[in-house]
Amino acid sequence: MALLPAFRCLLVHVCRASCRPTRSTSATPAFPSFLSVPISKKLSALFSPAPKIPAKPHLTAQEKTLVLTKDERLGQSADEIASGPSTIAAIVTSLGGPPAAVGIVRLSGPSAVAIVGRVFLPGKRKKRKKASFWRPTSHVVEYGVVSDCKGNFIDEVLVVPMLAPRSYTREDVIEIQCHGSEVCLRRVLRACLEAGARLAEPGEFTLRAFLNGRLDLSQAENVAKLVSARSEAAAEAALAGIQGGFSSLVKSLRMQCIGLLTEIEARLDFDDEMPPLDLNLIMEKIYSMVEELENTLETANYDRLLQSGLQIAIVGRPNVGKSSLLNAWSKTERAIVTEIAGTTRDVVEASISVRGIPVTLLDTAGIRETNDIVEKIGVERSQAVALGADVVMFTISAADGWTEEDTQLLDRILTNKSARRSSPVILVINKIDCAPSVCSEWANIHGSAFNKVIYTCAVSGQGIPELEAAILEIVGLDGIPSGGGKWTVNQRQCEQLVRTKEALLRLKSSIQEEIPLDFWTIDLREAALALGQISGEDITEEVLSNIFGKFCIGK
């Protein structure tokens, strides 16, 4: 243990040795030199550096025109265009379902205009002329036809050119809108591939947008969330992330860490020439950053529920109104309802939305001892569903009251769940219209074993709003507005935020324990690097491949 401080001190001096500024009368750069050198390169003698993504370009004032009036690549030679990145193409509309009226094939890359020019014949030209080239105007739609390499017409189309840099990828992007059948789409795509395009990899359009500075990494991840959103709340949260709400927070926190790091590094090298650090001000900044991180981390659970949803198992003994409750809640007739006990013999699912959270209701077979082989299988499935559900609704009948069978069933459920994982259990007293006055007495006796007690009537719908509110409170989402929350963080971002918070807490402890300034810089670098992992400022190719490999082809 005595070697640990010495090793840590060695790391500090290795880092400082590669970035120590020299005294000079020349102008001071906008950022200290050590910020432009990744920590992995500073410690190259000890660690192998990870590959880094090239710096992202920024728009100039001349590039801020929304609609371009001419083809900006006309002054470039064909060799200059061909020497750049390859041009990709993909079908960007959904396939596999019923055919749509319109489908889209998208191309992106330096040769997009040339490739589309080989297959597209504008309607204003009755026949193709060898010396004629297609010269599109950006963001102006053109009508025409697409032909294959043999000159056979494939489809009538609309072509939408979006020339660089005013496009999704900041490259030349051409979208060909054809008829929506899978046959038409694949024929148009094949023609583009034969003309020189390459089939896009999953997520490659968004990857190019990230590499070209159109989006940062957290915004790119929200693009995938928006495409796969299962509810309005999920779509709104993803859109808020694309618009830069979370990115702005990460950028602000990272700049604060870099600012503190600059102040400390300056005093390490020019201590005699600078005023002492204001420790109270530094501690205030640390407390403020930690508070922002904690508030952000609270959205992680909400994001998980938006993406995967909740599974709620409705369990109980036979004929207590489980199927009626599922039908009333989902406003469908998903489950068969009769007065015969044991009608439901398999798990019946129904999908609903509670405050924007996708919820899957699972109506199960009544759990009881039985000799019927089919019903016994249903009982076993009911117990398995109860074990895997996020919330269990233990349903009883107000008309029958609490029975010995209910006691045995509750003991069985609680025993099985304690052996695996603990999920909240809500006591739902159904058929409250049959015995409205006698329920409260025995509910007070047995209700202590449950997280909540709710009274319902499946016939009238009484108690269902209270049931939804109880579920949101149990899973910690009672503060979410009905229209959904703001942006959220996913698991990868959450891990880096936790890493940032831990680094800042270590920094606070170092200040309180009056540890030398050299050690403060290690924790500040750790925090800045973790935040850079979120925005993509400091990211490896392996992480990028993992993120964009989950996208659909065409996005």
Side-chain angles (χ1 to χ4, degrees):
M1 295 300 292
L3 294 177
L4 184 58
F7 180 69
R8 190 175 182 185
C9 186
L10 174 63
L11 295 182
V12 172
H13 287 289
V14 170
C15 295
R16 292 181 56 208
S18 63
C19 61
R20 186 184 302 276
T22 58
R23 301 176 187 270
S24 174
T25 57
S26 60
T28 303
F31 293 94
S33 60
F34 68 88
L35 294 179
S36 62
V37 182
I39 185 67
S40 58
K41 292 185 178 179
K42 298 175 188 175
L43 302 180
S44 58
L46 300 174
F47 306 101
S48 60
K52 299 298 184 297
I53 299 304
K56 304 176 184 178
H58 297 280
L59 286 176
T60 63
Q62 186 178 3
E63 294 172 336
K64 295 185 177 180
T65 303
L66 179 61
V67 178
L68 304 179
T69 57
K70 63 179 180 178
D71 186 346
E72 295 183 342
R73 297 152 331 289
L74 293 180
Q76 299 178 352
S77 66
D79 293 335
E80 289 175 338
I81 295 177
S83 63
S86 60
T87 297
I88 57 175
I91 299 171
V92 299
T93 45
S94 178
L95 295 176
V102 177
I104 299 175
V105 175
R106 175 189 289 165
L107 295 90
S108 178
S111 301
V113 172
I115 291 172
V116 174
R118 297 183 192 121
V119 302
F120 174 64
L121 181 63
K124 60 186 177 183
R125 292 191 306 204
K126 296 183 179 179
K127 59 181 180 179
R128 188 183 299 274
K129 300 179 181 179
K130 293 184 179 180
S132 178
F133 297 97
W134 183 51
R135 298 187 177 186
T137 302
S138 186
H139 295 80
V140 174
V141 180
E142 291 192 44
Y143 164 78
V145 296
V146 168
S147 61
D148 59 17
C149 59
K150 298 179 181 179
N152 300 318
F153 288 167
I154 295 175
D155 197 4
E156 294 184 356
V157 300
L158 294 177
V159 171
V160 185
M162 292 166 278
L163 304 184
R166 308 307 296 180
S167 69
Y168 180 66
T169 63
R170 282 193 177 163
E171 300 174 331
D172 288 338
V173 173
I174 310 292
E175 290 189 350
I176 304 175
Q177 299 182 6
C178 60
H179 291 90
S181 73
E182 186 171 348
V183 173
C184 293
L185 284 165
R186 294 197 182 279
R187 292 182 72 190
V188 172
L189 176 62
R190 187 185 305 116
C192 293
L193 297 179
E194 290 173 350
R198 171 178 64 79
L199 186 63
E201 298 292 333
E204 190 169 358
F205 290 98
T206 303
L207 175 60
R208 292 191 176 200
F210 164 70
L211 294 176
N212 293 327
R214 172 69 172 76
L215 304 169
D216 71 12
L217 192 54
S218 65
Q219 290 174 306
E221 289 176 296
N222 277 290
V223 171
K225 288 183 184 179
L226 183 59
V227 171
S228 60
R230 298 171 53 189
S231 65
E232 289 187 10
E236 290 174 1
L239 187 59
I242 293 174
Q243 292 174 339
F246 179 51
S247 299
S248 299
L249 174 64
V250 171
K251 182 179 179 180
S252 173
L253 291 173
R254 190 167 185 268
M255 292 308 298
Q256 290 182 63
C257 290
I258 291 175
L260 287 176
L261 189 55
T262 305
E263 291 287 332
I264 294 171
E265 285 282 355
R267 281 161 177 79
L268 285 172
D269 294 297
F270 309 107
D271 188 29
D272 297 337
E273 304 175 11
M274 301 190 68
L277 288 171
D278 187 344
L279 296 183
N280 291 330
L281 180 60
I282 293 177
M283 292 296 286
E284 288 179 4
K285 289 184 178 180
I286 293 174
Y287 282 122
S288 175
M289 287 190 287
V290 170
E291 183 179 0
E292 284 186 300
L293 288 169
E294 289 175 344
N295 293 336
T296 304
L297 287 169
E298 289 179 358
T299 68
N301 183 47
Y302 182 48
D303 179 78
R304 180 185 66 83
L305 294 175
L306 284 177
Q307 304 309 316
S308 59
L310 275 174
Q311 281 198 340
I312 300 178
I314 308 175
V315 301
R317 54 187 175 83
N319 211 22
V320 294
K322 300 186 298 299
S323 298
S324 299
L325 192 58
L326 177 135
N327 290 343
W329 201 351
S330 63
K331 296 181 175 60
T332 62
E333 295 296 326
R334 291 283 297 163
I336 299 174
V337 178
T338 70
E339 296 180 356
I340 302 173
T343 300
T344 302
R345 300 202 171 192
D346 203 349
V347 178
V348 179
E349 297 185 8
S351 298
I352 62 171
S353 178
V354 178
R355 292 278 186 91
I357 302 296
V359 174
T360 302
L361 300 177
L362 304 173
D363 178 27
T364 64
I367 301 177
R368 64 176 177 178
E369 296 295 334
T370 177
N371 294 324
D372 189 305
I373 297 177
V374 177
E375 187 177 358
K376 183 178 291 186
I377 295 174
V379 169
E380 292 174 354
R381 291 186 179 182
S382 299
Q383 294 174 340
V385 165
L387 289 175
D390 298 300
V391 179
V392 176
M393 287 171 42
F394 188 88
T395 310
I396 64 173
S397 171
D400 301 333
W402 187 273
T403 65
E404 182 63 27
E405 288 180 309
D406 293 321
T407 302
Q408 296 175 0
L409 177 56
L410 178 62
D411 291 340
R412 185 187 306 178
I413 292 175
L414 295 179
T415 301
N416 290 337
K417 295 189 77 64
S418 60
R420 298 191 180 185
R421 66 181 182 90
S422 178
S423 296
V425 182
I426 300 175
L427 175 61
V428 177
I429 303 174
N430 197 25
K431 302 183 181 181
I432 191 63
D433 53 322
C434 298
S437 59
V438 299
C439 298
S440 57
E441 300 178 2
W442 47 267
N444 293 332
I445 298 174
H446 301 283
S448 59
F450 302 91
N451 297 84
K452 287 285 183 179
V453 178
I454 304 295
Y455 300 91
T456 63
C457 175
V459 175
S460 64
Q462 176 185 348
I464 290 180
E466 291 79 4
L467 189 56
E468 292 181 350
I471 290 171
L472 290 174
E473 180 181 351
I474 286 175
V475 298
L477 299 179
D478 50 316
I480 299 298
S482 58
K486 56 176 183 176
W487 45 261
T488 59
V489 297
N490 60 27
Q491 182 179 356
R492 186 193 73 86
Q493 296 163 350
C494 181
E495 291 173 356
Q496 299 305 322
L497 290 173
V498 170
R499 177 183 166 195
T500 304
K501 178 183 174 183
E502 291 174 348
L504 292 177
L505 292 177
R506 288 196 302 270
L507 173 61
K508 185 182 71 171
S509 299
S510 298
I511 296 174
Q512 293 173 341
E513 296 171 8
E514 299 182 355
I515 294 178
L517 295 181
D518 300 62
F519 296 96
W520 300 10
T521 61
I522 294 178
D523 296 322
L524 280 172
R525 281 195 183 93
E526 176 75 10
L529 288 173
L531 293 169
Q533 289 275 333
I534 296 175
S535 62
E537 298 290 338
D538 189 346
I539 198 74
T540 65
E541 292 182 5
E542 181 180 0
V543 174
L544 286 181
S545 298
N546 182 50
I547 292 173
F548 289 99
K550 298 176 182 177
F551 279 60
C552 60
I553 295 177
K555 193 55 187 172

